[in-house]
Every structure is written in C-alpha cells, then in structure tokens.
C-alpha cells in the first residue's frame, strides 16, 4: 500500500477538509473527520451570520465541470455557532478530545473584514485568538488571508504583502504549533504573497483559487447568487496548478496545501504532481459529505498503488518536469505531434461529409470531394480539424505520440 503520510506536516494523508460549512461548528467538524482526512480546518470564529454559503448552480453541474460555483449566495444564512472566543476555544478542546487522533485539527483565525475595520488592532486580536486556540488544543493555526477580494477590500492601496508578512511573523513568534497561511491567488501576485508568508515564518502556505464573481441568469431577477466572493469550480484547477508550479520553480519550498477545483482523486493527484504536498477539499466536501471524501481518499490511494508510487514524495512535483524539459526534447515533442497530425488522413468509413473540418482549416488543406473530407499536402499539422470532427474520422493518438519521446530515441 502506498504511504500517504505527509511528513512535513505530520499528516496521515494529504487531504484537508478546508474551512467552509463542512467545518463550521463541532458537529460539522466531527462529521468531516469521519472521512479520516489528514486534517480538518475549523471555520473561523467571528465569521458571523449574513452571507449564505451554498454552491450554484448544482452539485451535479459542479462535478461535471459545466459551470462555475458560487459559495456566497442567497438562501439560508449560516448561524455563527460561537458567541465568543471562549466558546470557540471550548469547542476546540472538545474536538481535540473527540476527533480521531490521526486527523489533525487545524483552526482558522481572522477574517478579511478585520483588516479593514477602522481603528481595530486586528494583529493584536489575531495573536490573542491564536494563543487561545493553541492553548485549547489546536494542532495548527491557519491565518485567513484568502477570502476573495481581500487584497483590494477597503483601501486599494494598502500593502497586502506587508500585512501577510507582519501578521505571520507576529503569530509565529507567539506560538509553538505550526502557523499555516492561507492565501488568495486573486487580486494579488500569488508568488509575492507566498514569499511574504514564507519570510514571515509560515510553516506551510495554502494558495487558494477562488475569485469574486458575478453569476446570474438572463432574467437577472431570478438569479440566486449575490455578486461577490467564492467563484471557483473545476476550471480553477489548471490555474492553481500553475500557481503552485510557478512557486516551486521560483524556489518556494515551504510545504503547501493548495486548493481550488479539486472534485475528484484525479484532480487531487494533479495538484500534488504540480508540487503541492496537500490538497484542500472545499466545495467537494460541502456538497457531498464525508462518505464521498472517504471514497476520494481511497480511490486516490488505489491509484497510487496501481501507478506504482510508493509514497507522496515520489508523486509530489513530478509534473514540474514538463516545465523544465530540455529544449531538444520539447522540440521533438512538438515535431512528432505535427508530423502525426500531418500524416493523418480522414477515414472514409467514418467521415459523414459534415464539412466542419473544412470550415476550421486555415490553410486550405481540407475540401469535400464526393461528399467526403480529403486532405491535401497543404496541411501544416496544426490539429484544429481533429477537435471538431464529430465521428473520429480525423484523429491522432496524440498522447501516445508525445509519450514516445520519453521512451524512444530522439530523431
Ligand atoms: C461554501 C464555502 C464557504 C467557505 N468559507 C470559507 C471561510 O469561511 N474561510 C476560509 O478560509 N475559506 C472558506 N472557503 C474556502 C475553502 O476553505 C477552500 O479554500 C476552497 O473551497 C477550495 O476550493 P474548492 O471549493 O474549489 O475546493 C469556503 C468555501 C466554500 C465552498
């Protein structure tokens, strides 16, 4: 069995059920812990009621990658279960007693409104909250800098990176347990934000791909969402993979628990291959519950075994090789694919003569003759025609062609 432990953070596996309705209050945290993730991050105290937190347009659409999601929407407002910091800390103590030891209890503190409320000494408040949460038994503290729009809220000129740095440093100095810094990729330079956290002493960083968004219907009066934070979805995954890879290639080597658009074990594997040790599960956990999280973890572990990865270290960052291919190899991949594209001829048995390939050929290399597509020497191998062919009459096994560059001698 592959070893799923994340040594750098002392986790039994890389999955973190992230701060959300799935982690707000004792009942929700315990329920999320049933899936035995590596950690559950308890949603921050003082979040307040107000914004509803649901996913739109539907879980089925979210899983099918059909549509973005919007966490802050109309509907039931979530009650803040904690009237005071004392009550929050009592809950932390109870949770640490009742949760399985193998799942870490991460505790989120802070909120972007704190940063912009005039006259409030938010840094002092955060340090106090962090100290109390640590005393109550939190395994790690997470600083909540990620809410979409945080970098521009209030005053567009305020120095977000300095805030991250000074807050991280102040809290790190006050605590013994690890300090985790959850960051946005929106409205800021994610690389600079990560650097600020690392320089402040963060034990791990959690870049999180979510944006302010505006989801609405043509009949806008029927729209459920409110304009604002929480736009994400499967389309966020390539972006967060890029952010993680860019950080790794720029020398940021702090442990990472990135998130955004992970709705399957495959997506989790990709984010880890891009260089993140751990993976946040936000919408997925909220929308599907602990059994689905548990299945996702099991499916991920089964794939690790099938694919022959002994442990997470073997997997983490593997795809970074695609960024750093030697130029000769990169050129060979390009050339082999272009040659295969050029060589492929329409299969007359599958062609229906629909003409879509002719429509999309920018080199006048495709024409219809006797109701069938015919390709001429003018083809440059760009590949647009393969994308539109509805019957597979024009196709190329692109994956095999590309993989061959790693197993066969370069030309
Ligand atoms: C409904 C909902 C509410 C959320 N509320 C919070 C929050 O209060 N604090 C926080 O740090 N992150 C919050 N998040 C973000 C998640 O912790 C996590 O970073 C994010 O959902 C990961 O992206 P994903 O939803 O695409 O998996 C929330 C997410 C959702 C879906």
């Amino acid at each position: 069995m592959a070893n799923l432990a994340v040594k750098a953070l002392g986790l039994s596996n890389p999955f973190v059920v992230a701060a959300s309705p799935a982690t707000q209050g004792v009942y929700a945290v315990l329920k999320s812990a049933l899936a035995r993730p590596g950690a559950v991050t308890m949603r921050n105290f003082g979040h307040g009621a107000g914004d509803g937190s649901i996913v739109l347009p539907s879980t089925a659409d979210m899983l099918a990658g059909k549509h973005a999601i919007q966490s802050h929407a109309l509907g039931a407002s979530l009650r803040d279960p904690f009237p005071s910091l004392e009550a929050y800390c009592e809950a932390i103590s109870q949770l640490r007693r009742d949760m399985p030891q193998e799942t870490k209890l991460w505790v989120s503190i802070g909120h972007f409104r704190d940063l912009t409320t005039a006259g409030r000494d938010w840094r002092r408040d955060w340090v106090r909250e962090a100290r109390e949460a640590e005393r109550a038994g939190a395994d790690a503290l997470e600083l909540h800098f990620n809410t979409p729009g945080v970098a521009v809220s209030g005053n567009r000129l305020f120095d977000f990176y300095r805030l991250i740095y000074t807050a991280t440093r102040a809290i790190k100095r006050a605590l013994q347990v690890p300090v985790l810094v959850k960051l946005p990729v929106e409205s800021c330079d994610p690389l600079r934000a990560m650097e600020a956290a690392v320089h402040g002493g963060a034990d791990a960083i959690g870049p999180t791909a979510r944006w302010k968004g505006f989801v609405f219907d043509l009949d806008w009066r029927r729209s459920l969402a409110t304009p604002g934070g929480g736009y994400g979805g499967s389309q966020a995954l390539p972006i967060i993979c890029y952010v993680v890879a860019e950080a790794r290639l720029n020398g940021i080597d702090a442990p990472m628990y990135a998130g955004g658009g992970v709705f399957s074990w495959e997506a989790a594997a990709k984010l880890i291959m891009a260089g993140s040790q751990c993976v946040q599960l936000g919408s997925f956990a909220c929308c599907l519950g602990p059994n689905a999280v548990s299945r996702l973890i099991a499916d991920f572990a089964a794939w690790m075994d099938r694919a022959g990865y002994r442990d997470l270290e073997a997997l983490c960052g593997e795809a970074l090789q695609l960024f750093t291919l030697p130029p000769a190899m990169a050129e060979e991949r390009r050339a082999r694919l272009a040659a295969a594209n050029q060589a492929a001829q329409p299969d007359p048995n599958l062609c229906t003569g629909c003409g879509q390939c002719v429509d999309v050929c920018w080199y006048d290399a495709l024409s219809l003759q006797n109701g069938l597509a015919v390709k001429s020497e003018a083809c440059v191998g760009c590949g647009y025609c393969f994308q539109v062919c509805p019957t597979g009459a024009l196709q190329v096994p692109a994956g095999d062609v590309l993989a061959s560059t790693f197993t066969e001698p370069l030309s």
Side-chain angles (χ1 to χ4, degrees):
M1 273 277 280
N3 183 356
L4 295 195
V6 183
K7 293 193 195 111
L9 289 168
L11 304 187
S12 57
N13 67 62
F15 295 95
V16 178
V17 179
S20 64
T23 70
Q24 184 162 16
V26 170
Y27 175 79
V29 173
L30 284 175
K31 191 165 175 178
S32 283
L34 289 175
R36 299 285 203 272
V40 177
T41 310
M42 187 174 180
R43 202 178 195 191
N44 45 332
F45 153 73
H47 198 270
D51 294 337
S53 279
I54 60 169
V55 172
L56 293 171
S58 75
T59 301
D61 281 348
M62 176 191 103
L63 290 175
K66 277 191 193 154
H67 202 299
I69 59 153
Q70 181 80 0
S71 66
H72 297 279
L74 300 179
S77 275
L78 291 179
R79 203 170 41 84
D80 190 340
F82 305 110
S84 64
L85 180 59
E86 288 65 36
Y88 190 60
C89 289
E90 270 172 37
I92 293 171
S93 300
Q94 182 195 336
L95 282 168
R96 201 44 295 175
R97 273 196 312 274
D98 296 350
M99 270 168 70
Q101 279 306 318
E102 73 187 80
T103 296
K104 298 284 182 201
L105 175 62
W106 291 0
V107 171
S108 167
I109 59 164
H111 191 260
F112 81 107
R113 287 195 194 100
D114 303 348
L115 309 177
T116 53
T117 308
R120 184 158 173 193
D121 187 347
W122 62 270
R123 227 162 304 173
R124 201 202 53 208
D125 291 349
W126 284 26
V127 169
R128 187 169 72 93
E129 282 180 27
R131 277 211 180 105
E132 295 297 320
E134 179 183 50
R135 231 194 311 272
D139 293 311
L141 266 291
E142 180 186 77
L143 312 192
H144 180 187
F145 275 116
N146 54 291
T147 292
V150 72
V152 290
S153 60
N155 176 354
R156 284 178 177 272
L157 296 177
F158 86 118
D159 189 344
F160 184 52
Y161 311 105
R162 181 164 293 278
L163 285 181
I164 295 170
Y165 170 73
T166 52
T168 306
R169 201 168 62 138
I171 290 164
K172 179 70 191 158
R173 284 180 171 180
L175 296 191
Q176 303 294 318
V177 295
V179 174
L180 322 169
V181 183
K182 195 167 172 199
L183 295 165
V185 302
E186 180 227 32
S187 306
C188 69
D189 172 351
L191 201 53
R192 261 186 91 191
M194 288 188 262
E195 277 168 353
V198 170
H199 287 300
D203 294 288
I205 43 181
T208 308
R210 292 171 77 73
W211 289 263
K212 274 176 179 278
F214 186 20
V215 176
F216 60 99
D217 303 304
L218 286 183
D219 180 355
W220 56 270
R221 289 163 301 192
R222 300 174 64 86
S223 295
L224 276 170
T226 53
Y231 178 95
S234 55
Q235 67 275 22
L237 184 74
I239 299 169
I240 193 65
C241 283
Y242 189 86
V243 166
V244 169
E246 195 187 24
R248 291 310 189 208
L249 296 170
N250 279 277
I252 294 183
D253 53 13
M256 236 188 251
Y257 61 104
V262 176
F263 306 148
S264 64
W265 65 263
E266 290 97 330
K270 286 181 187 173
L271 196 42
I272 294 171
M273 290 171 94
S276 182
Q277 278 84 0
C278 302
V279 170
Q280 296 172 30
L281 296 176
S283 305
F284 183 84
C286 282
C287 295
L288 292 156
N291 280 325
V293 171
S294 174
R295 267 197 307 279
L296 186 146
I297 298 174
D299 289 347
F300 173 80
W303 170 75
M304 291 267 292
D305 284 339
R306 276 200 311 280
Y309 291 104
R310 287 181 324 282
D311 52 31
L312 282 178
E313 279 88 47
L315 184 67
C316 189
E318 243 219 328
L320 292 174
Q321 293 176 61
L322 287 171
F323 279 76
T324 54
L325 285 180
M329 171 79 87
E331 174 54 26
E332 178 81 11
R333 282 160 64 81
R334 200 195 59 69
R336 278 196 199 182
L337 188 57
N341 284 353
Q342 263 178 322
Q345 288 295 334
D347 180 340
N349 297 318
L350 293 176
C351 180
T352 57
C354 72
Q356 292 190 60
C357 57
V358 179
D359 245 11
V360 82
C361 180
W362 304 105
Y363 300 94
D364 200 15
L366 279 155
S367 56
L368 287 184
Q369 289 172 25
N370 302 324
L372 293 178
V374 176
K375 204 157 91 166
S376 77
E377 302 250 303
C379 173
V380 299
C382 70
Y384 280 129
C385 54
F386 301 106
Q387 313 284 332
V388 293
C389 178
T391 61
L394 262 168
Q395 59 174 329
V396 141
D400 296 344
V401 172
L402 294 175
S404 72
T405 56
F406 293 101
T407 50
E408 293 165 10
L410 302 189
S411 55

